[in-house]
Amino acid sequence: MSDGKIVDMNELKNKNIEWKKFTRLGISIIILLIILGIIFSNLFIVKEGEYKVIRQFGEVVKIIDKPGLNFKIPFIQTAQTLPKYQMVFDVEKAEINTKDKKRVIIDNYAVWKIADPKLMISNLRSVENAEAKMGEFIFSTVRTELGQLNYDEIIDEENSSRGNLNVTITDQVNDLMKRDNYGIVVIDVRIKKTDLPPENEESVYKRMISERESTAQEYLSMGDAEKNRIIANTDREVKELLAKAQADAEKIRAEGEQEAAKIYNESFSQDPEFYNLFRTLESYKKTINGETVIILPADSPYARLLMGYVE
């Protein structure tokens, strides 16, 4: 046929062979990528401060706690991360009744960690479930312990028993956790805050204010009594000091007058006439002034001295 086309069967055969080669190469690359994807998706890194729990068909088969690169079996095993460090769990607030029938709202927190990841995963499954179970135990223990105390014993800062109470609660919660094989350890349980229900706050505050005012008045009375005692002791000591000082002054004055009299006697004994004259003149100072009228016998010592007769 003039318009017919001649097909080279050898060339067509070669093209089919090349196409099959490219197809096989593509499939091989895809398979390789899938294998590499599976390998890389099942590689995992264990970081510092965490556990990796390897589970196979729901059962825990391995716990990895050392940092590094690890591999799990594809499609069969799963890896779950658990914290290795200490955690803080803020326990939900709860209302309890004290021994004296008062209602209080307790706010707690707990510090805890996973001690046995296998037990924890087997019995609790997750961190959230572990905290929920721990919260139940803490509430039960706190309610029991605080139910044996009066309200004042709980809130009194000076005579508070919270220190021993925190230790007791921590120990009891740990005993419950250990009993049920939960694989976690509670390091510390603390009462963060105690509040009153709103309807009880006003009456308690008034009673507390009254008690504080009574205590303040007692301190004031004790202070006044101490002040009066100090004042009385001081007044007594002042009187004793003044009496002693006055007695010492009288003694010194008497000794001085005695010494002066001795000196006078020694001085005047050396000239008796001068002494008589001096005594007479001294008496004039006391008895004679500008308006004095004296009537004396002519032979009296005063008259003889005034008239100039001196023996």
Side-chain angles (χ1 to χ4, degrees):
M1 296 177 63
S2 59
D3 57 348
K5 187 176 180 182
I6 300 173
V7 176
D8 189 345
M9 296 302 293
N10 290 328
E11 183 180 351
L12 182 60
K13 184 178 181 180
N14 291 333
K15 285 183 178 179
N16 289 334
I17 292 172
E18 289 179 359
W19 174 253
K20 289 179 179 179
K21 286 182 179 179
F22 283 123
T23 302
R24 284 197 297 268
L25 179 61
I27 293 173
S28 298
I29 292 174
I30 292 172
I31 292 173
L32 179 61
L33 290 175
I34 292 173
I35 292 172
L36 290 175
I38 292 173
I39 292 173
F40 282 113
S41 65
N42 286 277
L43 289 174
F44 59 91
I45 297 174
V46 180
K47 298 179 182 179
E48 191 73 36
E50 69 179 16
Y51 298 105
K52 285 292 185 182
V53 180
I54 307 302
R55 301 174 71 173
Q56 183 171 314
F57 303 117
E59 297 295 328
V60 177
V61 295
K62 186 191 297 185
I63 302 293
I64 305 173
D65 59 359
K66 294 182 180 179
L69 183 64
N70 293 270
F71 181 78
K72 62 183 176 65
I73 301 174
F75 310 114
I76 297 177
Q77 294 180 339
T78 59
Q80 182 178 356
T81 302
L82 293 177
K84 195 175 182 180
Y85 49 81
Q86 293 183 4
M87 293 168 282
V88 177
F89 172 48
D90 196 3
V91 185
E92 187 176 353
K93 293 181 181 179
E95 185 175 303
I96 65 168
N97 291 322
T98 62
K99 184 179 179 181
D100 51 355
K101 307 304 180 185
K102 288 187 172 62
R103 292 187 299 138
V104 292
I105 299 173
I106 302 297
D107 191 2
N108 301 300
Y109 73 90
V111 180
W112 69 287
K113 69 177 183 178
I114 300 172
D116 190 327
K118 185 174 182 178
L119 285 177
M120 186 266 183
I121 286 295
S122 299
N123 295 316
L124 293 171
R125 303 295 177 186
S126 67
V127 171
E128 291 75 15
N129 291 340
E131 289 184 336
K133 181 59 67 175
M134 184 167 47
E136 293 177 9
F137 287 158
I138 290 173
F139 170 70
S140 175
T141 306
V142 168
R143 182 179 59 185
T144 301
E145 292 299 322
L146 294 188
Q148 301 174 15
L149 298 174
N150 291 324
Y151 178 74
D152 292 342
E153 296 177 283
I154 299 173
I155 66 169
D156 189 351
E157 293 293 339
E158 295 179 358
N159 302 307
S160 177
S161 59
R162 286 190 190 179
N164 294 332
L165 183 62
N166 291 329
V167 174
T168 301
I169 294 172
T170 301
D171 291 342
Q172 291 188 16
V173 172
N174 272 322
D175 290 341
L176 293 172
M177 289 292 183
K178 186 176 180 180
R179 180 198 66 186
D180 294 341
N181 293 321
Y182 287 138
I184 65 176
V185 173
V186 179
I187 298 168
D188 195 13
V189 177
R190 292 279 167 177
I191 297 177
K192 187 165 54 175
K193 188 170 58 173
T194 57
D195 290 326
L196 288 168
E199 61 271 19
N200 293 352
E201 285 185 355
E202 188 65 26
S203 61
V204 173
Y205 288 159
K206 287 181 179 179
R207 182 172 60 82
M208 292 174 66
I209 290 172
S210 176
E211 290 176 354
R212 293 298 182 270
E213 288 177 348
S214 176
T215 302
Q217 188 60 46
E218 182 180 352
Y219 287 153
L220 288 173
S221 298
M222 292 170 62
D224 288 340
E226 184 66 14
K227 181 191 75 172
N228 293 334
R229 186 185 66 79
I230 293 173
I231 291 174
N233 289 340
T234 303
D235 289 343
R236 178 177 54 78
E237 291 176 0
V238 168
K239 289 179 180 178
E240 291 176 354
L241 290 173
L242 289 176
K244 186 175 183 301
Q246 187 174 359
D248 292 342
E250 292 293 338
K251 180 180 178 182
I252 293 171
R253 186 180 297 110
E255 291 175 352
E257 290 178 351
Q258 182 179 358
E259 184 67 21
K262 179 180 178 183
I263 294 172
Y264 283 143
N265 290 335
E266 291 177 354
S267 300
F268 293 143
S269 63
Q270 296 178 7
D271 191 345
E273 292 184 0
F274 175 76
Y275 175 71
N276 289 332
L277 177 61
F278 177 78
R279 292 294 299 273
T280 301
L281 293 176
E282 285 294 318
S283 68
Y284 287 168
K285 290 180 182 180
K286 298 179 180 180
T287 58
I288 297 176
N289 55 33
E291 298 179 357
T292 302
V293 177
I294 301 174
I295 300 174
L296 299 171
D299 58 349
S300 69
Y302 276 180
R304 293 177 63 82
L305 286 172
L306 290 175
M307 290 185 292
Y309 297 113
V310 180
E311 296 180 357

